[in-house]
Amino acid sequence: MGMEIGDAGEGARYLLLLEDQIRDNADSDDSRLRQLGYKQELSRRLSALSNFSVTFSIISILTGITTLFNTGLEFGGPVTMIYGWPIAGGFTLVVGLAMAEICSAYPTSGGLYFWSARLCGDQWGPFASWITGWFNIVGQWAVTTSIDFSLAQLLQVIILLSTGGNNGGGYLASKYVVIGFHGGILLIHAIINSLSITWLSFFGQLAAIWNVLGVFVLMILIPTVTTKRASTDFVFTHFNTENDAGIHSKLYIFVLGLLMSQYTLTGYDASAHMTEETKNADKNGPKGIISAIGVSIIVGWGYLLGITFAVNNIPYLLSTDNDAGGYAIAEVFYLAFKSRYGSGVGGIICLGIVAVAIFFCGMSSVTSNSRMAYAFSRDGAMPLSSLWHKVNKQEVPLNAVWLSAFVSFCMALTSLGSLVAFQAMVSIATIGLYIAYALPIFFRVTLARKTFVPGPFNLGRYGILVGWVAVLWVATITVLFSLPVAYPVTKDTLNYTPVAVGGLFILTVSSWILSARHWFKGPITNIDT
């Protein structure tokens, strides 16, 4: 009996110690945030796993690869996808490591623009913060627009295949119906993001599980079911040079095909934007960035490998005359089941798995958008700032959530006028966002080279080297993805990426010169002195 009482006493002491440790961690997070100039307003309930889950769901390899599988197939095919993925992934991990080190030093929801301000000091901080912040938030809105629009297009294809396919009198939804789908999806995402952070944490972890399981199911099921499996030689050595773009240089083709991989591996700044809601933020924020990228590289490569084994006739998969209307990955899934069972229903169900993953991706993207909008407006950078940084009783920045959904819907409206204009806007999702990633890293390795004080996660003596490699990679892809994607160059084939990104830069700098330099002072404290 005495032993039982002793054990109970030990157990009680252990629980008290655990409670003290949790309280100390929470106090440490709040204290660090106060040191950075902010009081705790958001609910800090996210674990390391929850932080990772949100970011992993935004990267969502099922979303990126599905959306741009046509690009990968057309420009290089198997070789570009199988070898381009680890190349883009490796450099993305370098960018992520450089960002993670800075995130550990400054764990705030503002993320990138706050880092730029601190790293540049009083003289250049406000301008650096202004440029970084606007590239970040517009890039994020473009990401959400792209994700939810790609889901609307996938629903269009699923309905087409379910009603008989392109060659069987199937129903092809008009562009107005597609924009209606897009608006409906954004509405649901805004409603979900209006819930408490506890619910968002649950949905985030569910999304991460769905993404991982979905990838493993599809990468095994599709090549197993198909009756015409590609040879190992085809998967690892076939380089597709046949395209309608008038491009014949293998290096040029390979570079254009890289866009699929690089577009997929974006959005990992979400871990930084969620740090004010994450426990042990200066450790778990950086872990979220690195682990989300690392897991995505490994799982994504496996997915690409599995799907490529089901690829045979590339020109037919890209043809608008096939059952999926030229949506290559949908045609791969559909044909795999139709060839074995005489019906493509199984392929349509597989597309449903992808659709759910894209839905979760868009949901997490709105979460990240809203936290960035909340932080940026808290520092007075946005029009009507006082409105957007308000939090409700559940400590959710409700107005910022609905603002993000509304802006993303407006950006998609350009698709009604011109797909070229829409694609130009969406290009900001990759290049604009990566420029926002690179700016604080550049300031870290230049202006703040000797003054930067690292947090618990740091790269030690390799920090400068990793930072420079990250900056040079972003500079490289900015140039590469601004090159023409078709010849001869006409108004319909012109790559409008540099126009869109350049336009954003001119607007941001002009607004600074004409107005913001007089009143925007960078991040401002919200602690009552």
Side-chain angles (χ1 to χ4, degrees):
M1 187 71 176
M3 282 296 290
E4 289 177 10
I5 292 170
D7 290 344
E10 286 297 317
R13 276 194 292 275
Y14 174 74
L15 286 173
L16 285 171
L17 283 170
L18 194 61
E19 285 176 13
D20 287 341
Q21 188 176 359
I22 291 169
R23 200 177 299 112
D24 288 344
N25 286 339
D27 291 343
S28 172
D29 281 321
D30 293 355
S31 172
R32 180 63 185 131
L33 189 60
R34 290 180 75 84
Q35 288 171 12
L36 294 172
Y38 301 117
K39 62 185 176 185
Q40 186 71 44
E41 290 183 317
L42 302 176
S43 179
R44 196 180 286 276
R45 294 181 185 175
L46 295 182
S47 62
L49 178 63
S50 298
N51 184 289
F52 157 81
S53 298
V54 170
T55 304
F56 181 68
S57 302
I58 292 176
I59 295 176
S60 182
I61 52 173
L62 285 175
T63 302
I65 292 174
T66 300
T67 304
L68 283 177
F69 193 71
N70 279 47
T71 303
L73 270 188
E74 183 175 6
F75 296 110
V79 165
T80 296
M81 294 190 290
I82 300 303
Y83 299 107
W85 181 266
I87 291 171
F91 282 109
T92 299
L93 190 57
V94 170
V95 176
L97 282 166
M99 284 173 60
E101 183 180 51
I102 305 172
C103 177
S104 182
Y106 309 118
T108 76
S109 290
L112 309 168
Y113 83 87
F114 183 94
W115 306 346
S116 289
R118 281 300 179 96
L119 293 166
C120 287
D122 294 337
Q123 185 177 359
W124 290 102
F127 176 63
S129 179
W130 179 261
I131 295 288
T132 307
W134 279 109
F135 264 89
N136 192 190
I137 197 164
V138 175
Q140 281 196 339
W141 283 332
V143 166
T144 301
T145 304
S146 174
I147 292 165
D148 282 3
F149 195 79
S150 69
L151 177 53
Q153 288 179 316
L154 182 58
L155 291 177
Q156 179 190 39
V157 174
I158 289 172
I159 293 168
L160 175 65
L161 291 172
S162 302
T163 53
N166 196 36
N167 300 314
Y171 170 71
L172 181 65
S174 70
K175 61 183 180 181
Y176 299 103
V177 173
V178 171
I179 204 75
F181 287 159
H182 178 75
I185 294 160
L186 276 168
L187 178 65
I188 298 169
H189 284 157
I191 292 169
I192 292 173
N193 274 280
S194 300
L195 302 173
S196 71
I197 192 65
T198 307
W199 277 104
L200 285 177
S201 174
F202 167 74
F203 281 123
Q205 291 181 43
L206 178 63
I209 293 167
W210 185 277
N211 267 280
V212 173
L213 290 180
V215 164
F216 279 107
V217 167
L218 295 174
M219 67 186 271
I220 294 168
L221 185 63
I222 299 300
T224 302
V225 167
T226 188
T227 55
K228 294 181 180 179
R229 201 171 296 117
S231 66
T232 305
D233 186 57
F234 175 86
V235 171
F236 289 100
T237 65
H238 180 71
F239 192 88
N240 180 41
T241 55
E242 294 178 38
N243 58 68
D244 296 328
I247 298 171
H248 307 293
S249 163
K250 286 190 175 182
L251 179 60
Y252 201 159
I253 290 170
F254 185 82
V255 163
L256 293 178
L258 269 183
L259 179 62
M260 181 198 74
S261 304
Q262 199 61 72
Y263 167 80
T264 304
L265 297 167
T266 53
Y268 43 87
D269 56 314
S271 282
H273 297 304
M274 303 302 289
T275 48
E276 288 184 35
E277 295 160 275
T278 303
K279 301 167 191 170
N280 292 325
D282 53 2
K283 298 186 185 76
N284 291 336
K287 283 180 188 174
I289 293 171
I290 297 161
S291 57
I293 296 170
V295 173
S296 295
I297 292 169
I298 295 165
V299 178
W301 195 73
Y303 178 61
L304 271 175
L305 204 58
I307 301 305
T308 308
F309 269 106
V311 169
N312 280 289
N313 189 339
I314 293 176
Y316 178 72
L317 292 176
L318 294 171
S319 170
T320 53
D321 294 328
N322 65 35
D323 280 314
Y327 201 115
I329 205 162
E331 186 68 14
V332 169
F333 290 5
Y334 189 72
L335 284 179
F337 281 86
K338 194 172 182 181
S339 64
R340 183 171 292 274
Y341 302 109
S343 167
V345 173
I348 296 169
I349 293 170
C350 288
L351 288 174
I353 294 174
V354 175
V356 173
I358 299 176
F359 177 84
F360 281 137
C361 177
M363 175 197 75
S364 298
S365 187
V366 171
T367 307
S368 182
N369 286 187
S370 61
R371 271 50 180 184
M372 172 59 195
Y374 158 79
F376 209 31
S377 58
R378 179 175 61 184
D379 290 322
M382 296 173 66
L384 304 175
S385 281
S386 60
L387 183 63
W388 310 128
H389 73 83
K390 284 182 180 176
V391 294
N392 65 6
K393 292 177 182 177
Q394 295 175 308
E395 299 175 317
V396 173
L398 196 64
N399 295 344
V401 167
W402 287 90
L403 170 70
S404 298
F406 177 73
V407 171
S408 296
F409 179 70
C410 291
M411 289 176 87
L413 290 175
T414 54
S415 67
L416 296 176
S418 163
L419 274 176
V420 172
F422 173 71
Q423 286 159 357
M425 191 169 295
V426 169
S427 67
I428 299 173
T430 304
I431 300 304
L433 207 51
Y434 263 95
I435 289 172
Y437 291 175
L439 285 171
I441 300 172
F442 176 72
F443 301 139
R444 149 75 180 106
V445 298
T446 52
L447 294 175
R449 179 170 183 156
K450 294 181 179 177
T451 57
F452 176 69
V453 180
F457 174 87
N458 64 82
L459 302 172
R461 58 180 178 168
Y462 298 107
I464 299 295
L465 175 64
V466 169
W468 273 116
V469 173
V471 169
L472 290 172
W473 175 247
V474 173
T476 302
I477 61 172
T478 300
V479 172
L480 295 181
F481 295 156
S482 297
L483 296 172
V485 293
Y487 289 91
V489 177
T490 67
K491 65 180 178 65
D492 294 321
T493 61
L494 178 67
N495 183 354
Y496 285 90
T497 299
V499 177
V501 176
L504 176 59
F505 179 74
I506 290 168
L507 280 172
T508 309
V509 173
S510 299
S511 61
W512 172 262
I513 294 169
L514 296 173
S515 174
R517 67 191 174 95
H518 299 297
W519 50 266
F520 182 69
K521 305 302 179 187
I524 52 175
T525 182
N526 68 350
I527 298 172
D528 300 323
T529 54

